[in-house]
Amino acid sequence: MVNRYSIEEFIKNTEQVDKGEGFFELETPRILEVNLDGLVWAKSGAMISYSGKIKFEREGLLENGIGHMFKKAFTGEGATLMKANGKGKLYLADSGKKIIILNLQNEAIHVNGNDLLAFETSIKHNIKLMKKVAGMMAGGLFNVRCEGTGMIAITSHYEPLTLRVTPGNPVITDPNATVAWSGNLQPEFQTDISLKTFVGRGSGESIQMRFEGDGFVIVQPFEEVNMQVSSS
């Protein structure tokens, strides 16, 4: 069924509306509005519009010390984080993915580098290298540990599912479908040769993430399969 609008009707049905929700506001399920008065971190390339006086700057390779050096491979497409600084309204989106706002209360969460959209400056971020899944994920070399008190926005293809991890009941996930996991969990990587005929991996193997302990894992019903990660 084709929806038909007059121009006036279309504007009324789609125009931006202030909801008064604060710093991060979901303008639509797939567009994040940042009511900016200062600084915010965001995924480079995620800006779709802004109003006001806002300046953008890519994160320097050594800005947060040698431990944060990650060259060009943050998302698998050469993108990094950017800083948006100023006062105005900033609109962020990422390939039409669903956006989830999480309000951390002195907590930590690990987010797949491809699924972190934005976060407040009160959140400490530390980029972690996952060598064993190099080339397997879209940006799969990296996940980002976000810790502290403040808001972060993560993305998911379609509706995410959260799986509880309890002692003695590990959860196994496909790295390409894994969005985030609780800060206290440290996944192990395992190879399941028996699955090699069911997956289209160039290596002929299935690499999985194994979570053990007490926490949660967020997965999406979509595999962000293989974009070659640059190391230059």
Side-chain angles (χ1 to χ4, degrees), residues 9-185:
E9 288 170 337
F10 180 77
I11 292 172
K12 183 177 179 181
N13 278 282
T14 61
E15 69 179 333
Q16 183 267 335
V17 176
D18 283 322
K19 300 175 183 176
E21 294 175 356
F23 187 60
F24 279 3
E25 182 175 300
L26 280 184
E27 193 59 36
T28 77
R30 302 173 195 279
I31 298 176
L32 178 70
E33 178 184 282
V34 182
N35 292 296
L36 191 61
D37 187 6
L39 183 69
V40 69
W41 286 103
K43 184 177 181 178
S44 275
M47 186 277 290
I48 60 170
S49 181
Y50 72 91
S51 61
K53 294 185 177 181
I54 301 175
K55 295 179 67 175
F56 300 92
E57 182 183 349
R58 287 169 68 97
E59 181 180 32
L61 292 181
L62 299 176
E63 180 163 326
N64 291 304
I66 192 70
H68 285 258
M69 188 171 180
F70 53 97
K71 298 182 181 179
K72 296 181 180 179
F74 182 71
T75 69
E77 296 182 302
T80 61
L81 292 172
M82 67 178 180
K83 292 183 292 184
N85 194 1
K87 185 176 178 62
K89 290 186 179 295
L90 171 63
Y91 295 95
L92 303 172
D94 186 11
S95 302
K97 294 160 70 175
K98 184 180 178 66
I99 299 169
I100 303 102
I101 299 172
L102 301 176
N103 192 8
L104 303 188
Q105 299 291 329
N106 196 27
E107 297 165 298
I109 187 171
H110 294 271
V111 185
N112 176 352
N114 203 44
D115 300 318
L116 182 61
L117 182 64
F119 54 93
E120 291 190 80
T121 56
S122 57
I123 298 293
K124 295 179 181 178
H125 68 286
N126 187 21
I127 295 146
K128 303 280 188 178
L129 181 65
M130 297 192 295
K131 294 180 181 178
K132 291 189 178 180
V133 290
M136 294 290 291
M137 298 167 64
L141 279 175
F142 300 97
N143 69 78
V144 185
R145 179 181 171 88
C146 295
E147 184 172 10
T149 296
M151 286 185 288
I152 71 170
I154 65 175
T155 59
S156 169
H157 285 280
Y158 311 106
E159 299 294 331
L161 174 68
T162 300
L163 303 170
R164 289 283 186 178
V165 181
T166 57
N169 294 289
V171 170
I172 315 300
T173 67
D174 183 330
N176 297 287
T178 306
V179 173
W181 57 95
S182 48
N184 60 309
L185 296 182

